[in-house]
Amino acid sequence: MRIGLLCPYDLSQPGGVQEQVKGLRAALRGYDDEVVILAPGAGDDDDTVDLGGTVSVPGNLSKVPISLDPTVGRRIKAATAGLDLVHVHEPLMPMASLMALRCDRPVVATFHAATSPLGTRLYRLLGPRIRSLLGPNLRRVTAVSPTAAAPVSDSLPVSIVPNGLDVAAFTRDGQPSALRVCFLGRDEPRKGLDVLLAAWADVAAEIPDAELIAMGANRGSEGVQWLGRVGERTKVDTLSSSAIYVAPHLGRESFGIVLVEAMAAGAAVVASDLEAFRYVAGDAALYFPPGDSKALAERLTSLLRGEDERRRLRAAGRERAQRFDWERVAGHYRSVYQQALS
């Protein structure tokens, strides 16, 4: 198949959708498919079509780098003319995704995000009109989790195809450091870093030799090893050397690929009790109420002292991570593509 993967976000900037699009391209090539990424900030290599610059706008309690150029549709139309199918990620995101929905090719649309309560109400008020917004060439709709599907599932048939990961790339030999805990995430309120730091004060008082490593953030405060933004190798090495990975997010999460990364790397997972996190980790994690630093401290203290429970969670996590391996996820998407083309 000749497939175009449309990403509305700046491909040169870090982000979950961007990484999923890149990973899907690599996985589809294993089937000898011809795959091109269309995205703003895509650069000029042979496998991408650059849709121009972006601006950062508020979105989902964060900042999202998207194109607001109304002429981007012309570039998309030219780039998709020879393709069999266009897979549009975040289909209602301006302007690239909205323009790609109108290209003269069969379209598969994938929803990634967890919407706000207001956003969910707006989707439901639109009701059947969502179908017309997604354009005349729409053939199939997928979402990365039940949380991402919820806003549109009353109006459209939605297949769940989860996010993918090269699980083998996160596997390391050896045992993790028994008292090492790590965090990975941008320093944004919804990622819950403040909750973790409040909990860590209690953990450190109970277990002075415990260590906390924070990736993706750098506040420079004492008692934490701050790594800031890290490369892939440092991320994998840190996850695999940690006894516990903590996801203290407050909400608005639709999946949680970092939980899959941590499980694949062999870290025991402690996570906020969010629907999306339970979908990903199931019984391979311990949960605590979002925002409850005291409950988080209790989970961490107990798990740092509980080698048997850590061993159980590590084994369960590695097994569960296999569900999200790219080989399985890409095969599922190819089945969706074939249905769309038929």
Side-chain angles (χ1 to χ4, degrees):
M1 284 185 280
R2 295 168 297 172
I3 304 162
L5 303 178
L6 190 289
C7 175
Y9 305 128
D10 192 319
L11 204 67
S12 67
Q13 297 191 32
V17 176
Q18 295 95 311
E19 293 307 311
Q20 285 300 302
V21 169
K22 293 174 186 176
L24 180 56
R25 174 180 62 178
L28 290 172
R29 285 175 175 164
Y31 293 91
D32 294 327
D33 292 321
E34 297 179 27
V35 188
V36 61
I37 293 177
L38 299 86
D44 57 359
D45 66 63
D46 292 339
D47 303 314
T48 62
V49 175
D50 194 341
L51 300 179
T54 61
V55 296
S56 290
V57 300
N60 202 25
L61 301 181
S62 183
K63 294 281 189 179
V64 291
I66 59 173
S67 170
L68 295 180
D69 181 359
T71 69
V72 73
R74 293 200 295 266
R75 275 167 277 176
I76 292 172
K77 183 177 181 179
T80 58
L83 301 177
D84 296 320
L85 174 142
V86 179
H87 183 176
V88 181
H89 295 261
E90 293 290 40
L92 298 181
M93 185 63 65
M95 292 290 294
S97 291
L98 290 173
M99 294 296 102
L101 292 172
R102 267 65 188 173
C103 72
D104 189 23
R105 298 283 88 195
V107 169
V108 170
T110 293
F111 288 88
H112 287 262
T115 60
S116 66
L118 175 60
T120 299
R121 287 197 295 271
L122 288 174
Y123 274 117
R124 289 175 177 161
L125 284 173
L126 285 170
R129 283 175 287 181
I130 291 177
R131 178 64 183 79
S132 62
L133 285 174
L134 294 174
N137 297 314
L138 181 72
R139 298 293 182 268
R140 291 291 185 275
V141 177
T142 74
V144 300
S145 70
T147 301
V152 295
S153 59
D154 289 344
S155 306
L156 294 166
V158 182
S159 299
I160 304 299
V161 183
N163 285 326
L165 184 74
D166 181 359
V167 171
F170 281 78
T171 302
R172 294 286 189 273
D173 294 329
Q175 294 294 315
S177 176
L179 295 179
R180 179 172 295 166
V181 177
C182 72
F183 163 88
L184 172 63
R186 296 186 299 273
D187 196 352
E188 298 173 351
R190 73 185 181 100
K191 299 301 182 181
L193 182 56
D194 287 337
V195 177
L196 173 56
L197 294 178
W200 193 251
D202 292 342
V203 174
E206 289 285 327
I207 309 175
D209 291 336
E211 58 176 324
L212 175 62
I213 300 176
M215 296 178 281
N218 190 358
R219 297 190 182 181
S221 55
E222 294 183 1
V224 179
Q225 184 177 345
W226 299 95
L227 299 187
R229 184 174 172 180
V230 298
E232 199 69 11
R233 181 172 180 176
T234 299
K235 176 173 74 173
V236 176
D237 287 346
T238 303
L239 287 171
S240 61
S241 68
S242 298
I244 301 170
Y245 172 76
V246 185
H249 305 51
L250 298 179
R252 302 282 281 276
E253 298 294 333
S254 63
F255 191 80
I257 192 65
V258 68
L259 271 64
V260 184
E261 293 174 336
M263 291 188 298
V269 171
V270 177
S272 296
D273 195 356
L274 304 177
E275 178 188 42
F277 286 176
R278 281 195 178 268
Y279 168 72
V280 170
D283 62 0
L286 296 183
Y287 300 95
F288 66 95
D292 189 337
S293 61
K294 294 298 183 183
L296 173 55
E298 290 172 3
R299 302 291 191 282
L300 289 175
T301 301
S302 174
L303 197 54
L304 285 167
R305 289 172 170 161
E307 183 178 353
D308 289 345
E309 180 67 353
R310 293 201 309 272
R311 188 180 298 114
R312 182 193 72 80
L313 290 171
R314 291 184 69 204
R318 281 191 159 144
E319 180 179 355
R320 192 166 182 93
Q322 295 298 327
R323 300 184 182 197
F324 308 103
D325 188 72
W326 267 124
E327 183 176 353
R328 180 177 295 189
V329 173
H332 198 159
Y333 269 128
R334 288 193 93 252
S335 177
V336 173
Y337 297 163
Q338 288 162 353
Q339 293 167 20
L341 291 173
S342 66

